[in-house]
Amino acid sequence: DFVRQRNSDRIGLVLFAGQALSWVPPTLDYDLLLDLLDDVEAGMVPTEGTAIGSAIGTAVTHLEDSPAVSKAVVLITDGENNAGSLSPHEAADLAAAQGITVHTVAIGTGGEVPFPTGRDFTGRTVYQRVRVPVDRKLLADLASRTDGQAFVAEDGQELDRGLSAILDALERTRLASGILDAGWKDRFAPWIWAGLGLLAAEALLRFGRWRQPA
């Protein structure tokens, strides 16, 4: 819903756990972004943990050279920082130095929560209760350092309200050259699908009938 309510802003997606993964570079192709968002599942980033600094740093890397007038990161996390080589405060200071605003959303209630660990033989998701502390103070501080807003979402309705407030706060992004008005279009989508196809082919070759003996 957040993506669908924008119409002229380039939006990207960074996944993170113990490390950060650039999943979709900033794009105006919202259909592609939503398709790839549908593919996201817990466990796609193999390193365990919560590397908030790495997540912000990766997003900043995508945005720092952008000529957009307004640049923002929306950080959504359910844990406290416990991984990564870049601290959250260092990452926030890098964002502030580049004129990038960081809005934060702390999701969940903390404590023990059901976490998906895989699927059983019927295809149903298997959950295990794990302790997930949420550092709301840290997230509020990160937002404050970059003139952003900090929200707490303990359920879906509060998440909707937080993201709606962020949408209201975001200025409409315009490139200084006015190139958006020229009707330009991103053309990297075929390369993304080709890359995903190669990854799928590699997995089939590794675990399929052509697997080499040890």
Side-chain angles (χ1 to χ4, degrees), residues 71-152:
K71 295 178 281 189
V73 173
V74 180
L75 173 70
I76 303 175
T77 180
D78 65 348
E80 62 182 4
N81 185 75
N82 56 19
S85 57
L86 182 65
S87 78
H89 290 112
E90 289 173 334
D93 290 341
L94 287 174
Q98 297 290 337
I100 299 171
T101 302
V102 178
H103 302 286
T104 64
V105 183
I107 61 174
T109 59
E112 286 195 352
V113 298
F115 187 83
T117 58
R119 299 182 184 277
D120 62 18
F121 67 94
T122 67
R124 292 182 301 182
T125 302
V126 176
Y127 293 89
Q128 177 182 351
R129 296 195 68 82
V130 297
R131 183 175 179 275
V132 182
V134 182
D135 193 340
R136 297 174 179 175
K137 182 178 182 300
L138 169 65
L139 297 181
D141 186 41
L142 298 180
S144 176
R145 284 172 178 249
T146 63
D147 294 327
Q149 299 187 63
F151 299 91
V152 173

Side-chain angles (χ1 to χ4, degrees), residues 3-128:
V3 173
R4 292 189 182 99
Q5 292 181 62
R6 309 307 291 172
N7 54 35
S8 63
D9 295 327
R10 301 178 71 191
I11 303 175
L13 178 62
V14 173
L15 310 181
F16 70 100
Q19 63 188 46
L21 170 64
S22 179
W23 189 240
V24 184
T27 180
L28 290 170
D29 191 340
Y30 297 159
D31 289 337
L32 172 67
L33 174 61
L34 292 172
D35 283 344
L36 293 176
L37 178 60
D38 283 340
D39 293 336
V40 174
E41 295 182 354
M44 293 182 65
V45 180
T47 307
E48 294 184 357
T50 304
I52 291 175
S54 298
I56 297 174
T58 301
V60 168
T61 299
H62 280 299
L63 295 174
E64 59 185 356
D65 293 329
S66 170
V69 175
S70 176
K71 295 178 281 189
V73 173
V74 180
L75 173 70
I76 303 175
T77 180
D78 65 348
E80 62 182 4
N81 185 75
N82 56 19
S85 57
L86 182 65
S87 78
H89 290 112
E90 289 173 334
D93 290 341
L94 287 174
Q98 297 290 337
I100 299 171
T101 302
V102 178
H103 302 286
T104 64
V105 183
I107 61 174
T109 59
E112 286 195 352
V113 298
F115 187 83
T117 58
R119 299 182 184 277
D120 62 18
F121 67 94
T122 67
R124 292 182 301 182
T125 302
V126 176
Y127 293 89
Q128 177 182 351

Side-chain angles (χ1 to χ4, degrees), residues 155-212:
D155 56 36
Q157 291 182 338
E158 288 187 348
L159 178 60
D160 287 342
R161 285 194 291 269
L163 291 177
S164 295
I166 292 174
L167 279 172
D168 292 340
L170 291 174
E171 299 175 358
R172 189 168 299 278
T173 304
R174 295 285 183 181
L175 297 181
S177 63
I179 194 169
L180 281 180
D181 295 330
W184 74 310
K185 182 179 180 181
D186 290 314
R187 298 188 181 277
F188 65 83
W191 300 103
I192 286 185
W193 290 119
L196 292 175
L198 289 173
L199 288 174
E202 189 271 343
L204 288 174
L205 290 173
R206 177 180 296 179
F207 299 107
R209 60 182 296 182
W210 298 280
R211 180 178 58 186
Q212 295 294 322

